[in-house]
Amino acid sequence: MDASGDEFQKYRSPLVSRYASKEMAYNFSDKKKFTTWRKLWIYLAKAEKDLGLPISDAQIGEMEAHVDDVDFSMAAEEERKLRHDVMAHVHTFAHCCPAAAPIIHLGATSCFVGDNTDLIMLRDGFDILLPKLACVMDRLASFAEKYADLPTLGFTHYQPAQLTTVGKRACLWLQDLTMDMRNLQRARDDLRFRGVKGTTGTQASFLQLFQGDHDKVEKLDEKVTEMAGFKKSYLVTGQTYSRKVDIDSLCALASLGATVHKVCTDIRLLANLKEIEEPFEKEQIGSSAMPYKRNPMRAERCCSLSRHLMALLADPLQTAAVQWLERTLDDSANRRISLPESFLTADIILSTLQNVTEGLVVYPKVIERHIRNELPFMATENIIMAMVKAGGNRQDCHERIRVLSQQAAAVVKQEGRDNDLLDRVKADAYFTPIINQLDALLDPKTFIGRAPQQVAKFLSVEVRPLLEPYKDKMNVKVELEL
């Protein structure tokens, strides 16, 4: 990149210049947009010809030969003169297709190319995201399986609670991601084509072209829809497809953002405890002032971008609410930003999260130490029950354990030393009948319930079947440039 170039003299969206993948950046590019417009004009001309309008093979061939050679400078100059982006590109296309000029955009309104192209971009955007989400889930599933029976402190209110396992906690993340997978797939599959509907959705211009033949107008809609790769079109539209479609699409992405934020917040909390860390490069610097730091910068990036993704949902909600009657143009500028940015943002958080999940580092000894500091308190009920079985009185035992627990808690909180409850129990002659049972009573694996079994069943029943359609696309390893 030329450091003296114009690109450094103006704002560039970090979503494209810094983060998002080439395929998602291309999906919302001008090249993809305007070549898709041209393809739609070709679909329309082919369908109109098939149904009897006087359009020649030569005209269609001429259009097909010039799909990709978009003169962006000419189009920009035309738009400056005409103040209309679609007509600017009609003129630009007609310039290189003079024979086809009379039939380009025949009977159509601007939203024929605008809205239909947006729907194609949404569909293709989901097709980029779904395999990436599958990759993240696959990596997390392997992680959960590997650590299915490794005990770790569970937390409620971010206070130590009963034990769980590292793998079971990963399944909590996976459960949310399985819901996101279904949401994205549903939003993608629910998309329909706007089709060939005319200026206010009545198809009046096409009915006139076909001299009142309703069947031909319906077949025209069906043919163009099929050529664009959609199974259905919306049966009724205004000038645009309903902007609630945008809500559905961006709602699925915003919900994914909430999941990723939760997952990465958990990873950041665990990094503070030094139990789990995201991958850290050999030469990576955590802090310019503190050389020892290993900041969870990838998880932080995911949280930062996830907030943006969640916030973008407000745009389509408000846009849909203010579309007066058949449509108003105050949707256009907003959608140029909110639709691409949502997909670009979802794209980078999934790539980043895949990088994190491929390199998560677990520190079992740290986890064990944290368990050791808390488990004696959690085991008090087990100790009481063992004493009762050995002939003790529950109330007497409870009182002795209560006093010893308070003393041990004071050592931990006031003196900053390790939990010595177990030593106090061993030193108290009252507990002599169960001294030889204490190690078994304090085995962490006896406190994790059915967590390993839950992990195994969840992965086999809920996760693996969802990933099956993407198995050929999950060998991609992510290398983050920044």
Side-chain angles (χ1 to χ4, degrees), residues 285-293 295:
I285 295 174
S287 168
S288 61
M290 295 166 281
Y292 59 87
K293 292 193 75 180
N295 299 334

Side-chain angles (χ1 to χ4, degrees), residues 332-367:
S332 178
N334 185 288
R335 294 174 72 252
R336 287 177 191 266
I337 299 168
S338 60
L339 297 186
E341 285 206 356
S342 291
F343 280 84
L344 289 163
T345 306
D347 179 69
I348 186 55
I349 65 174
L350 285 176
S351 295
T352 306
L353 186 56
Q354 181 182 335
N355 178 264
V356 170
T357 53
E358 284 176 345
L360 279 176
V361 181
V362 177
Y363 295 105
K365 293 297 183 184
V366 178
I367 293 172

Side-chain angles (χ1 to χ4, degrees), residues 232-416:
K232 295 181 179 179
S233 67
Y234 296 105
L235 294 180
V236 293
T237 71
Q239 189 170 82
T240 68
Y241 68 79
S242 170
R243 294 310 184 218
K244 283 184 72 67
V245 174
D246 296 343
I247 295 175
D248 280 356
S249 296
L250 268 59
C251 187
L253 300 184
S255 184
L256 171 65
T259 298
V260 175
H261 200 297
K262 197 274 184 196
V263 172
C264 290
T265 299
D266 283 356
I267 291 172
R268 292 163 66 189
L269 292 170
L270 294 167
N272 172 260
L273 296 175
K274 296 181 174 59
E275 292 190 356
I276 291 180
E277 285 182 345
E278 66 178 41
F280 199 86
E281 308 298 336
K282 184 178 180 181
E283 297 181 4
Q284 182 175 331
I285 295 174
S287 168
S288 61
M290 295 166 281
Y292 59 87
K293 292 193 75 180
R294 292 169 67 95
N295 299 334
M297 54 83 70
R298 292 172 176 83
E300 289 174 316
R301 176 185 297 173
C302 284
C303 288
S304 184
L305 291 171
S306 291
R307 286 201 300 274
H308 180 57
L309 182 54
M310 290 185 279
L312 284 168
L313 179 57
D315 279 341
L317 286 168
Q318 295 184 64
T319 295
V322 298
Q323 286 302 287
W324 304 345
L325 304 175
E326 278 63 54
R327 81 84 55 103
T328 62
L329 196 60
D330 63 353
D331 64 339
S332 178
N334 185 288
R335 294 174 72 252
R336 287 177 191 266
I337 299 168
S338 60
L339 297 186
E341 285 206 356
S342 291
F343 280 84
L344 289 163
T345 306
D347 179 69
I348 186 55
I349 65 174
L350 285 176
S351 295
T352 306
L353 186 56
Q354 181 182 335
N355 178 264
V356 170
T357 53
E358 284 176 345
L360 279 176
V361 181
V362 177
Y363 295 105
K365 293 297 183 184
V366 178
I367 293 172
E368 183 182 343
R369 186 175 74 244
H370 290 158
I371 290 174
R372 196 163 56 243
N373 287 337
E374 300 293 339
L375 192 59
F377 294 139
M378 298 177 190
T380 53
E381 183 64 21
N382 290 13
I383 293 172
I384 292 172
M385 295 305 294
M387 279 297 298
V388 171
K389 286 182 180 179
N393 178 280
R394 187 190 185 283
Q395 283 66 37
D396 291 342
C397 185
H398 183 280
E399 179 59 20
R400 285 180 178 269
I401 285 287
R402 186 190 68 80
V403 171
L404 296 179
S405 296
Q406 296 293 333
Q407 293 170 351
V411 167
V412 172
K413 295 177 181 178
Q414 296 172 18
E415 301 177 25

Side-chain angles (χ1 to χ4, degrees), residues 92-116:
T92 302
F93 197 22
H95 179 76
C96 57
C97 301
I103 56 93
I104 294 173
H105 199 66
L106 182 61
T109 186
S110 298
C111 286
F112 168 70
V113 288
D115 269 31
N116 283 325

Side-chain angles (χ1 to χ4, degrees), residues 32-42 85-90 93 110 112-115 117-118:
K32 166 81 177 275
K33 176 180 179 179
F34 296 128
T35 55
T36 302
W37 284 12
R38 292 184 174 191
K39 290 174 185 176
L40 287 167
W41 283 321
I42 293 169
D85 57 347
V86 173
M87 286 309 299
H89 278 270
V90 169
F93 197 22
S110 298
F112 168 70
V113 288
D115 269 31
T117 294
D118 286 344

